Amino acid sequence: MSLRLYNTLARQVEPFTPLAPPRVTMYTCGPTVWNYAHIGNFRTFLFEDLLRRYLAYLGYEVFQIMNLTDVDDRTIKAAREAGVPLARHVEPFVTAFFEDRDYLRIKPASIYPRATEHIAPMIELVGRLLDRGLAYRGEDGSIYYAVNRFPTYGRLSQIEKRELKAGARVASDEYAKEDVRDFALWKAASADDEAVGAAWDAPFGRGRPGWHLECSAMALSEVRKRFAVETLDLHAGGVDLIFPHHENEIAQSEGATGQPFVRCWLHGEFLTVEGTKMSKRFGNILTARDLREEGVDPAAVRMLIFSTHYRKQLAFSDRALSGAAEGIQGLGEFRDRLARAGAGAGPDAEAGSSLDADFRTAMDDDLNAPQAVAAVFSFVRRVNRELDAGARPSLAAGALAVFDRVMGVLDLTPTPKQAETELASWVEQRLAARQQARRSGDYGTADSIRAEMAARGVEIEDTPSGPRWKIRVG
Ligand code: AMP
Ligand code: ZN
């Protein structure tokens, strides 16, 4: 079996076939840095982290682009309300996003292009669309995409033309466009845009990019520059981006290049609270920093999110989170048991070799992480039985480490606390050997043990009630 993924464009699970293996190019729509990202946003980013880690596990060389939307309607509005320039408003949220990413152990993307630093390729893309007759200048001076001139519009979202046409005239730009379906590529600069420093000169007028244009331009310019192609292997985001964001990205990109924009589109379902999508506008958000401040183990958050398939809604609750934390605790205890049993004799625990196969079968099937998690728990039960029977855990420890490279839920480097416990037991054992040597008059051995301990920073003091030890400070 090899990896199969649900491609939104095909509406089915299909074999994943990158354009030029082992390379995989992947574009993931990043945060809009008008505010802190909430854990709904992070559910999507964690699904993308899982995807990317699993591709690496399979031996692919992943090039992941995650943009930062640092200019759009929301960021401008927020900067205006705060009374500061756009760049100043977004900066703390960019920093916070990276901190939250690290807290949740999300592997950094290869690059994080910022929209405001890619205005030139955006202007170029609008120029290409104007040249090809797919864009026009509206009565308000903005440049619009002419949807009716792109025949395959709607293929991704399968939105019926009928539905689109029926749309009421709701937006203020309705009268400036030729067709209600048309969307702005470049918005003529408004007084608000100018006030926060969100306007740039372009051959077709001063203005700012539309959000959909930003992603197309950054995705295309980055893969063209690096790999001389204009097609991406993967493009991912939450389901709310299918329409209109990704539909418009396809129209813009394919309209300009004439090439397929993306081979496989992946969309993650929502994280919900009491049945409602987590969203700032519903007032039901929880941020990653809220969790961190409450001392929540990031491993529990990862476990919670991976315990539901990415294409199913995930109902967030404190109970679900503590359930995941219990699972993590069980895995941590098992990991520690393996470490303690490491030196024991006996045959290798056999369950180890089967975990890898079960894990792969699950993940190959459209990233079935809940099944992979179930496989690891049944592995823990089997190995525990084998250890009870005196087996050596070497294979099991290796299998657990492989699982964790993808899931990132166990910290397999010892914590300071574990390191301290290990040092303490080593010291006790060396001190006993030294006492033994002294009692038998072997002062040479006793002195060399003292030196060995000193080399690890341990000082011994002989007192009438026996030796005492402490760690030398500084
Ligand atoms: P934004 O910062 O609003 O541009 O969104 C960043 C990402 O979070 C996008 O991929 C959205 O689809 C995703 N997203 C937003 N809300 C949720 C939610 N409640 N659950 C899962 N993903 C979400
Ligand atoms: Zn995007």
Side-chain angles (χ1 to χ4, degrees):
M1 263 281 274
S2 52
L3 178 60
R4 296 165 62 82
L5 295 170
Y6 183 89
N7 184 353
T8 308
L9 198 56
R11 287 284 191 285
Q12 64 180 16
V13 177
E14 350 176 283
F16 170 63
T17 54
L19 193 62
R23 184 179 76 217
V24 171
T25 52
M26 163 171 168
Y27 188 93
T28 46
C29 291
T32 305
V33 283
W34 66 295
N35 212 317
Y36 297 113
H38 55 68
I39 59 167
N41 303 132
F42 275 106
R43 180 196 185 188
T44 295
F45 302 145
L46 279 162
F47 135 62
E48 294 159 350
D49 182 52
L50 185 75
L51 168 66
R52 144 147 198 211
R53 284 172 179 249
Y54 188 59
L55 290 166
Y57 162 94
L58 292 177
Y60 290 112
E61 290 160 17
V62 184
F63 188 82
Q64 183 192 0
I65 306 167
M66 178 174 274
N67 69 294
L68 301 177
T69 304
D70 62 355
V71 54
D72 78 325
D73 297 351
R74 279 188 291 176
T75 44
I76 291 171
K77 185 162 178 274
R80 195 83 185 99
E81 283 165 7
V84 296
L86 182 67
R88 179 121 64 83
H89 178 74
V90 301
E91 217 42 54
F93 300 117
V94 172
T95 307
F97 170 69
F98 289 130
E99 283 169 7
D100 295 346
R101 173 200 68 187
D102 294 343
Y103 160 65
L104 292 171
R105 299 188 196 152
I106 293 173
K107 290 233 186 276
S110 313
I111 52 168
Y112 289 94
R114 294 170 69 142
T116 53
E117 289 168 5
H118 288 74
I119 301 295
M122 294 170 196
I123 291 177
E124 188 214 301
L125 186 57
V126 176
R128 273 167 99 175
L129 291 168
L130 282 165
D131 288 348
R132 288 184 150 228
L134 285 163
Y136 63 93
R137 188 188 184 83
E139 282 167 26
D140 58 352
S142 296
I143 308 295
Y144 292 95
Y145 191 93
V147 167
N148 68 353
R149 289 180 229 161
F150 186 71
T152 53
Y153 190 83
R155 195 156 65 103
L156 179 74
S157 54
Q158 300 190 354
I159 295 258
E160 297 287 324
K161 284 190 173 176
R162 194 166 23 86
E163 282 174 50
L164 283 164
K165 282 205 175 123
R169 300 202 151 195
V170 281
S172 59
D173 61 9
E174 289 305 301
Y175 297 94
K177 305 192 288 190
E178 290 173 1
D179 184 323
V180 280
R181 297 178 302 162
D182 295 352
F183 58 90
L185 297 168
W186 187 258
K187 302 189 180 192
S190 70
D192 273 354
D193 298 346
E194 294 288 2
V196 298
W200 291 266
D201 287 320
F204 33 80
R206 192 167 167 78
R208 60 168 171 107
W211 170 42
H212 317 305
L213 181 82
E214 294 179 5
C215 280
S216 280
M218 287 187 275
L220 288 177
S221 68
E222 292 297 345
V223 293
R224 190 172 57 218
K225 186 165 76 193
R226 279 157 219 275
F227 309 115
V229 293
E230 292 192 308
T231 298
L232 291 143
D233 292 313
L234 293 169
H235 193 137
V239 284
D240 54 340
L241 300 191
I242 298 176
F243 186 84
H245 187 52
H246 288 161
E247 193 69 66
N248 292 353
E249 278 192 46
I250 295 176
Q252 296 164 148
S253 309
E254 301 191 354
T257 68
Q259 305 282 321
F261 176 42
V262 169
R263 293 167 71 84
C264 180
W265 285 93
L266 299 178
H267 293 100
E269 256 296 349
F270 291 144
L271 179 144
T272 60
V273 185
E274 289 162 2
T276 306
K277 175 194 176 189
M278 179 172 282
S279 170
K280 185 99 180 157
R281 85 196 133 98
F282 300 136
N284 62 355
I285 67 159
L286 186 66
T287 63
R289 38 207 48 227
D290 293 335
L291 294 177
R292 194 174 57 190
E293 275 159 25
E294 283 169 27
V296 172
D297 181 356
V301 182
R302 294 181 68 94
M303 180 57 94
L304 172 69
I305 284 173
F306 298 153
S307 298
T308 297
H309 190 261
Y310 78 91
R311 287 199 288 118
K312 293 215 173 86
Q313 286 199 354
L314 188 158
F316 180 84
S317 67
D318 288 342
R319 248 188 66 204
L321 185 60
S322 28
E326 272 169 36
I328 289 295
Q329 197 186 337
L331 282 185
E333 281 160 12
F334 175 69
R335 169 201 57 204
D336 295 346
R337 182 177 188 197
L338 290 186
R340 278 197 309 275
D348 285 324
E350 280 172 15
S353 44
S354 67
L355 174 62
D356 199 47
D358 293 347
F359 176 68
R360 226 179 129 142
T361 304
M363 294 295 284
D364 272 350
D365 179 17
D366 193 27
L367 301 181
N368 195 337
Q371 195 181 312
V373 167
V376 84
F377 282 113
S378 85
F379 156 82
V380 168
R381 286 190 294 275
R382 267 182 297 152
V383 174
N384 270 330
R385 279 198 301 273
E386 291 178 13
L387 293 179
D388 292 344
R392 194 170 51 175
S394 53
L395 280 181
L400 195 67
V402 169
F403 162 84
D404 202 51
R405 275 220 312 269
V406 178
M407 307 305 267
V409 293
L410 287 167
D411 193 1
L412 289 172
T413 50
T415 60
K417 179 122 187 67
Q418 281 169 310
E420 207 177 283
T421 318
E422 272 166 32
L423 180 67
S425 66
W426 177 81
V427 169
E428 295 302 333
Q429 185 236 330
R430 295 319 283 150
L431 272 184
R434 177 170 168 273
Q435 288 302 86
Q436 175 75 36
R438 280 163 60 118
R439 271 199 296 276
S440 55
D442 183 357
Y443 295 102
T445 300
D447 284 348
S448 75
I449 293 176
R450 176 191 274 269
E452 193 190 333
M453 296 173 77
R456 286 184 72 170
V458 180
E459 268 172 22
I460 306 171
E461 187 194 347
D462 287 304
T463 73
S465 59
R468 286 216 208 122
W469 64 276
K470 64 174 184 198
I471 307 286
R472 201 177 43 235
V473 189

